[in-house]
Every structure is written in C-alpha cells, then in structure tokens.
Amino acid sequence: MQIRFVANRPSGSHALIVPIAGSDRSAYEAFGGEQAAVLGAARLQRFDGEAGGVAEAYVAADNGGARRLLLVGTGSPGDENAEKLGGTAVGRLITSGETTAVIDLSGSGFSPDGAAKVALASALRGWRYDRYRTKLKDKQKVTLTEVVIVGAPPEAEARWTERYQAVLDGVALTRELVTEPANIIYPESFVERCRSAMVGSGLEIEVLDRPAMEQLGMGALLGVSLGSAREPQLLIMKWNGGAAGAAPLTFIGKGVTFDTGGISIKPAAGMESMKWDMGGAGAVAGAMLAIAKRKAKANVIGICGLVENMPDGKAQRPGDVVTSMSGQTIEVINTDAEGRLVLGDALTYAQRTYGSKLIVDLATLTGAMVISLGHEYGGVFANDDGLANDLLAAGAASGDKLWRMPLGEAYDRLIDSPIADIKNVGPREGGSITAAQFLQRFVDEGVKWAHLDVAGVVWSDKPSTTHEKGATGFGVRLLDQLVEATAEA
Ligand code: BES
Ligand code: MN
Ligand code: ZN
C-alpha cells in the first residue's frame, strides 16, 4: 500500500473518507450542497460517529460521475481512534474496486502523531499475503493500492517516514515469516528471508550452525532439533545505534518453525497452526528491522532460536536428560514442552556472550496462556517491576497489549526433577507460570528479564482494525515502542 501526504484533495477517481467525531454535526458542513443528503444517508444507516462505525454514501465526483464516500466514526475528537479511522477505511475498501482512498483530515484535530498513525493503520490493514492463492476471483483481488492523506498537520509526514514506515516494514517481515508454511520457512530459510529483508539496514547478522552450538554445549536447544531433517540455527542480529559500549537491550525469540510435539506428538486436529510456533522469533526479527530502519539511538541485540520439533528415530524421548549450555541438566518429561528448552540455551548464550543485563523474550510458549488470556492480551512475566511496567506501558501505547502474570518460589518448586536439576514440565495447572519459572532458572543474578507468552496473539482467526485474518505481527510495535520509550529516552 502506497501512502502519500498531500495538502489538497486530489482530483480523479477515488473513494473519499471523512472522519466523524461522534454526534457532532459540524463535519457535515463541508459537504456543502450535499450536506442534507449525506446526513440523511448517515441517519438511514444509524451512524452517529461512534468509533469504528462506518456509513457509506455517494456524492457527485468532479467528472460528473459518482464518488463513494465513507464516513468513519472516531467517537470523539483527538488521536484516540486514529488507527480505527485508517484501518476501518482500508478494511472496507481493499477489495472494493477502488484503487485510491483519500482520507481527509482537514479540521479533524489530529496531532502529527495521530495523523501518522492513521497512515500506519491504513498500511497495516492493507497488508496481505496472497502468494499461494492463484485462483482468486476478480472480486476477491486487492484493488486498493494507495492511501492519500489530506489536511494532516505538516509534521505528520515526517513522523510517518521517520518512524512508522519502518515499523510497518518490520511488521510486514514478521507477518510474512509467520504466514509462510513450514515447508517454506524452516530454520535455514528463516535466516535467509531475514538476511534479504535486512540488506542495507545496517543490522549486523551472525548465525551459529549446529557444530557451533555443539561446541557451546547447547544440549537443550539441540535436543529439540534431533528428530528434524532441518538444521537448527541461532540467528543473531545486532543494532548499534547507541553509545559505544553501552550494554545492549536484548530480545530473544522462540523460533520453532514447526511444532509437532515430537515423540509426545500433538493431536492431528489443528496441528497445522503450529507453523506459527516461530511467532516470537518472527517478532524479534521484525522489531530489529524496524529499529534499524528508523535508526534508533540504542544498542539492541535480537536472538532467534530456530529449530523444528519432529518425531523420528533420532528424536529425543520423554525421560531423556540433556545438559544445557548453562550446565544445568534437564529431564525432558514431555518433548512438546520444547520452546523452553530452546530459550534456556538462548538466554545463557545472550548473557555469556553479550553480557546482556536487560532481556525480553517472546514465545508462543503455552496453550495454557491462551486459556488464561484468550486472544486479547499477551502475558508478561518479569523478575523486575520497572521492566514489567515499561512493557505494560509500551503495550498500551502500541496496541500490542500485555497483562502481567505472577512468578514465585512455590511455582518454581513444581519443576524440580528427581533425576536432573530441572524437569521441563510441571503439573497442568498454572502451565504458563511453570514454563516461565523454567526460563527464569536460566537468568543470572542481577539480570532484568521479562518473558512474554504470546501464544494467543500472534495469529488471529478474525480480522481487526490493523490486520487481516492470520498473522498479526504482534510484538514488533511493542518492542519498537519499548526501545523508543526506554533505551532511547
Ligand atoms: N507451541 C506450543 C504452545 C502452543 C499451544 C501455542 C497452542 C499456541 C497454541 C508449545 O510448544 C507446547 O506444546 N506447549 C505445551 C506444554 C505442555 C506439554 C506442558 C502445551 O501448552 O500444551
Ligand atoms: Mn510444543
Ligand atoms: Zn511449541
């Protein structure tokens, strides 16, 4: 989707979108001679400017033909529903036959950031991945190619180009990685996809292959990968935009490119959704791209633990004991609790190699998280209240909402093993919390760490303001906002 900011409404064929802030009628005055007809159309559709509401009308176009007019409700004046405006407009028009949407913000009171968010939401809602849909009927095909924003405050365009366009590119990368099936995106091709998206971004990329990880003693991560024909990879992306030598903020993502459960195999129904078990790694890659593209003034490292979890004659078995890079031994009770095995070694690697003292991991870690919070919030577990609060604030500001979950000694005891230092599962109850406790065993004294269980939010069965059905891109806007509000502040 092309985004343009212009001063005046263009001529030529387009749909016109006008924001309406609640039941205030003054916005209708701009329709001049057509005011009564437009107001009448709004009334017939019981539209009263409520946030996210839409009414359609047709007005005369300059060439004498008809022009589609969308009235989009923003509830009240101000930025609060900026994203609803852009996203709703594009959602309605994307396959409508219109090629250009003109959103007229004149007199609507959006700040520069609000107007830039109208652009961001428009572009996010316009993202699609139709690569494998070769038989789409004409009416199902995307027609909208351009959103033109008129009458925004002058600083809005710079805010868009300097910040949100980068965020959009990051979200797009994440969504692409998450959407691709597991025969296309596996550890090595995940790395390749990132490399090509990151060319010229200034990100420094390093990749550890299996022999390198063996050398480091990453027995937990490598154990998960034993049953797969695909080679595991540890992808490291570095952005040095801050003061030289300043300790890096570190993001770590679970990148299980397909999770069959391994020998503790999952039921067939719904297993296809486990192609998105790399959603945490996808978010880390997308966030790194976003912060690099907007040249964030911060030092940030992104690490993706990439493996495929398959059953096979070579796969690890329930009851196996593996030795992690930290030296801690793990009894693998259930091979389907694989994400924590991958992350444990990635956590140790980050702390030992980069001296990371501030770590946020993202993982589609537990089904129990989806039971707890559904699809609205990701769960945040943290050993530090300041970091937890920064994340909650970044979540609220970015729209990638988080809800805090507990950690504690009593939960930790539930993963003691009779044969090794830890077992990889606790009881069914509190399954997301014991998974987080497992990760915490790999966090060194004095390190601030938060774990985001994003199992319920990286994929959506229904469209929303900012996404189509499918990959949401959750985490990119959140991490980008966290960097802006903390590391760059
Ligand atoms: N990737 C899954 C978690 C998951 C399940 C994410 C459903 C999204 C939807 C994870 O690897 C897993 O299988 N977890 C198990 C843990 C259990 C064996 C302790 C789970 O949640 O059932
Ligand atoms: Mn699993
Ligand atoms: Zn998994």
Side-chain angles (χ1 to χ4, degrees), residues 254 259 266 274 276-277 334 336-338 340 364-367 425 455:
K254 168 180 172 180
D259 181 14
K266 289 181 179 293
M274 285 297 110
W276 49 255
D277 206 20
N334 188 320
D336 197 12
E338 84 297 338
R340 61 199 79 180
T364 50
L365 205 62
T366 63
V425 295

Side-chain angles (χ1 to χ4, degrees), residues 34 71 126 166-167 225 276 416 470:
E34 293 185 291
L71 305 173
V167 172
S225 164
W276 49 255
D416 282 335

